[in-house]
């Protein structure tokens, strides 16, 4: 009889399997040392022979390999086997790879059926690493075999005895952080008060974090998803269909195909008023001379909602490469003022305005980095031009319609949309139609563009057309 004690990676995979089972009212499986040995041997054999198959050494079946190691199949019995492999990827270490493999097994109907088979009692898990040739190239890989069984015979449980004494230097409080995994069905998955990783695994789920920093995990590339933010909750749709449409509560981080996205840095924008958001859109359009991309607008809009001032944001905007490309080459004060008038108001400066602003800049009363914001405030003041104020407001609404209402991020389209506007109603309609056409394309095309829109904020942008 052969026996093997499970490694930390193998015990981690057992935890994932048992979370699936116990969340559905099934019994937790117990590791068995003989099944561990059988599973380890088959994973190693597949790596050494560059084979991925349930048919093993000498043409053996999974049941034959289990009994060959000495597992007792007496009385009423049943066996099953899962195998999985992937090249090492993502974060350093192999725990994330084991998690990926578990998700892949759960997303496969036959493998999921084995994991959730009600009558099972014990399992052996064999995780081996080595080079594997996928045909397209050789990669360092993780190979997994899961041997499941129930039996009327004897088993050899692989159970670690509990620690009865905790060293004084160790925090005795348990870490209840975990990985919570759903099924292809619609579910309500609630995290713990620690840092959790939660995935719905298909279906239209509700994923709720509690305390700590919680991560909602998605397996596809970010460009396949659309995010809708409203005050209090977030909805994310997988346009490829695999992950369904989930509602997120108290989730701080999203992870797309192993790449993290700090969601919490974008969501407070929903607390701004319509007036604040339109003013901020004006600032964004003025500094970059295009419609905002939603990720940039919502990131800085959240910073504004969190207390950062418009002046501080304006200074940071002025240092950006896009802004410097527009205004940085203006060597003289007069050239700079003329460029700002052209990009912001779509006209040359009038003599009075030109003299006023060049004098202020030359005196040092206003820095160039703050001048655009100051000019926006002046154009909208009671002493400013009503035509300029309307022009700015319309540009802001076009920007809000692009980035806030439709959540679009394509900078090239954002530039085309804003250059289409020349102050006429016809040009506003043309700009809106460009946005609608691009939004419709993004909504139906997989892998095209990540979108992030906000509900309840400037919803009426361009509704006067």
């Amino acid at each position: 009889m052969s026996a093997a004690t499970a490694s930390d990676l193998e015990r981690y995979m057992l935890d994932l399997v048992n979370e699936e089972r116990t969340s559905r009212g099934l019994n937790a499986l117990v590791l068995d040392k003989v099944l561990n040995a059988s599973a380890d041997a088959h994973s190693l054999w597949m790596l050494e022979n560059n084979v991925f198959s349930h048919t093993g050494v000498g043409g053996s079946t999974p049941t034959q390999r289990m009994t060959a190691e000495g597992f007792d199949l007496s009385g009423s019995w049943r066996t099953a086997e899962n195998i999985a492999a992937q090249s090492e990827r993502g974060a350093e270490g192999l725990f994330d790879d084991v998690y990926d493999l578990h998700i892949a097994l759960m997303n496969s109907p036959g493998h999921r059926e084995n994991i959730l088979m009600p009558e099972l009692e014990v399992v052996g898990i064999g995780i081996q690493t080595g080079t594997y040739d996928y045909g397209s190239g050789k990669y360092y890989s993780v190979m997994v075999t899961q041997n499941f069984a129930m039996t009327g015979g004897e088993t050899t449980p692989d159970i670690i005895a509990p620690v009865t004494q905790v060293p004084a230097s160790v925090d005795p409080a348990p870490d209840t952080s975990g990985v919570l995994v759903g099924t292809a069905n619609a579910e309500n998955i609630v995290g713990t008060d620690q840092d959790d990783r939660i995935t719905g695994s298909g279906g239209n789920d509700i994923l709720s974090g509690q305390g700590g920093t919680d991560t909602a995990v998605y397996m596809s590339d970010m460009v396949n998803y659309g995010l809708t933010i409203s005050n209090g909750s977030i909805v994310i749709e997988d346009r490829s269909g695999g992950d369904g449409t989930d509602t997120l509560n108290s989730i701080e981080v999203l992870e797309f195909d192993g790449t993290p996205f700090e969601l919490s840095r974008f969501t407070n924008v929903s607390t701004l008023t319509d007036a604040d958001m339109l003013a901020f859109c004006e600032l964004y359009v003025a500094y970059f001379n295009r419609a905002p991309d939603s990720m940039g607008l919502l990131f800085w809009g959240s910073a504004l909602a969190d207390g950062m001032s418009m002046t501080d944001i304006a200074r940071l905007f002025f240092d950006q490469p896009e802004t410097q490309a527009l205004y940085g080459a203006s060597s003289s004060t007069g050239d700079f003022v003329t460029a700002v008038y052209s990009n912001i108001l779509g006209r040359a400066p009038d003599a009075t305005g030109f003299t006023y602003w060049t004098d202020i800049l030359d005196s040092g009363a206003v820095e160039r980095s703050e001048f655009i914001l100051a000019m926006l405030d002046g154009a909208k003041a009671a002493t400013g031009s009503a035509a300029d104020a309307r022009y700015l407001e319309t540009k802001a609404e076009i920007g809000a319609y692009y980035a806030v209402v439709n959540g679009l991020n394509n900078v090239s389209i954002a530039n085309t949309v804003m250059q289409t506007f020349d102050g006429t109603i016809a040009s506003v309609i043309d700009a809106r139609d460009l946005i609608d056409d691009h939004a419709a394309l993004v909504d139906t095309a997989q892998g095209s563009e990540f979108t992030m829109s906000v509900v309840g904020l400037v919803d009426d942008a361009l509704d006067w057309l």
Side-chain angles (χ1 to χ4, degrees):
M1 177 185 292
S2 299
T5 299
S7 67
D8 288 343
L9 283 175
E10 291 161 350
R11 293 185 188 280
Y12 172 60
M13 179 161 265
L14 173 71
D15 289 342
L16 297 177
V17 167
N18 280 337
E19 283 173 1
E20 302 285 0
R21 291 179 63 87
T22 57
S23 69
R24 297 165 176 81
L26 301 174
N27 62 294
L29 300 181
V30 176
L31 283 170
D32 183 272
K33 292 181 180 180
V34 176
L35 293 181
N36 286 345
S38 173
D40 272 329
H42 187 56
S43 291
L44 186 59
W45 181 85
M46 286 192 290
L47 281 172
E48 290 177 343
N49 291 275
N50 211 78
V51 173
F52 187 75
S53 174
H54 291 289
T55 301
V57 57
S60 60
T61 66
T63 300
Q64 288 171 341
R65 291 192 294 275
M66 295 178 207
T67 55
E69 293 291 349
F71 188 72
D72 183 3
L73 290 178
S74 300
S76 179
W77 60 270
R78 184 166 187 173
T79 64
E81 182 179 80
N82 285 343
I83 56 176
Q86 77 169 31
S87 59
E88 183 187 15
R89 63 191 71 167
E92 184 177 354
L94 299 177
F95 283 91
D96 61 319
D97 297 289
V98 171
Y99 176 75
D100 289 347
L101 289 167
H102 169 74
I103 296 299
L105 290 169
M106 285 299 298
N107 286 337
S108 169
H111 297 100
R112 182 172 64 246
E113 182 179 350
N114 286 342
I115 290 172
L116 301 178
M117 195 180 299
E119 58 266 37
L120 295 176
E121 301 168 336
V122 289
V123 64
I125 299 176
I127 299 178
Q128 298 289 334
T129 58
T131 301
Y132 191 83
D133 189 345
Y134 294 85
S136 59
K138 294 182 179 180
Y139 303 96
Y140 185 73
S141 299
V142 182
M143 186 71 72
V144 174
T145 301
Q146 297 172 332
N147 284 161
F148 302 98
M150 60 158 286
T151 181
E154 294 185 1
T155 60
T156 53
D158 177 13
I159 300 174
I160 298 177
V163 178
T164 57
Q165 183 175 358
V166 179
S169 61
V170 177
D171 183 358
D175 179 8
T176 57
S177 303
V179 179
L180 296 93
V181 182
T183 69
N185 300 317
E187 295 167 298
N188 186 351
I189 304 175
V190 181
T192 70
D193 60 356
Q194 301 295 312
D195 299 345
D196 297 309
R197 292 167 59 82
I198 308 174
T199 180
S201 300
N204 299 333
D205 304 304
I206 301 174
L207 311 183
S208 301
Q210 298 292 309
T213 301
D214 301 305
T215 302
V217 179
Y218 295 93
M219 305 309 294
S220 188
D221 191 274
M222 186 175 182
V223 293
N224 285 318
Y225 295 85
L227 198 71
T228 302
I229 299 172
S230 60
N231 196 11
S233 68
I234 295 162
V235 174
I236 181 168
E237 177 189 5
D238 180 3
R239 289 189 288 264
S240 68
D243 286 320
T245 300
D246 294 346
T247 300
L248 310 180
N249 300 309
S250 299
I251 298 292
E252 289 77 26
V253 180
L254 301 178
E255 183 179 298
F256 299 104
D257 193 23
T259 301
F261 175 78
E262 292 186 59
L263 179 62
S264 60
R265 303 185 72 175
F266 298 82
T267 53
N268 282 354
V269 69
S270 64
T271 65
L272 293 176
T273 65
D274 283 10
D276 286 340
M277 176 49 79
L278 284 174
F280 189 59
C281 282
E282 285 180 349
L283 181 75
Y284 212 102
V285 170
Y287 274 81
F288 300 114
N289 198 30
R290 61 169 171 83
D293 55 293
S294 71
M295 289 178 66
L297 184 72
L298 302 190
F299 175 86
W300 290 108
S302 289
L304 181 68
D306 289 338
M308 194 172 189
S309 71
M310 289 277 272
T311 301
D312 287 340
I313 295 174
R315 291 193 187 105
L316 291 171
F317 278 6
F318 192 74
D319 290 334
Q320 297 300 308
E322 274 190 273
T323 310
Q324 286 299 304
L326 285 170
Y327 304 113
S330 302
S331 55
S332 71
T333 303
D335 288 344
F336 177 61
V337 170
T338 299
V340 171
Y341 263 85
S342 176
N343 289 329
I344 294 178
L345 299 177
R347 65 176 178 85
D350 56 279
T352 301
F354 181 83
T355 301
Y356 174 78
W357 288 116
T358 52
D359 287 349
I360 284 181
L361 285 167
D362 286 338
S363 71
V366 174
E367 298 177 5
R368 285 196 179 193
S369 61
E370 302 170 15
F371 168 61
I372 296 174
L373 176 60
M375 187 173 166
L376 290 173
D377 291 339
K380 293 184 294 181
T383 55
S385 163
D388 285 345
R390 284 195 301 271
Y391 188 89
L392 288 173
E393 183 178 357
T394 303
K395 292 183 79 171
E397 284 201 44
I398 293 171
Y401 189 70
Y402 186 85
V404 182
V405 175
N406 287 283
L408 299 170
N409 278 295
N410 187 301
V411 173
S412 177
I413 300 295
N415 185 67
T416 301
V417 163
M418 198 54 66
Q419 302 316 310
T420 299
F421 174 63
D422 62 10
T424 64
I425 295 296
S427 70
V428 180
I429 293 172
D430 288 342
R432 182 200 60 188
D433 290 346
L434 279 172
I435 296 170
D436 287 344
D437 289 345
H438 184 62
L441 176 65
V442 168
D443 191 50
T444 56
Q446 293 184 28
S448 58
E449 183 179 332
F450 176 68
T451 59
M452 187 160 46
S453 59
V454 184
V455 173
L457 190 60
V458 295
D459 289 341
D460 58 354
L462 301 185
D463 67 351
W464 46 270
L465 286 176

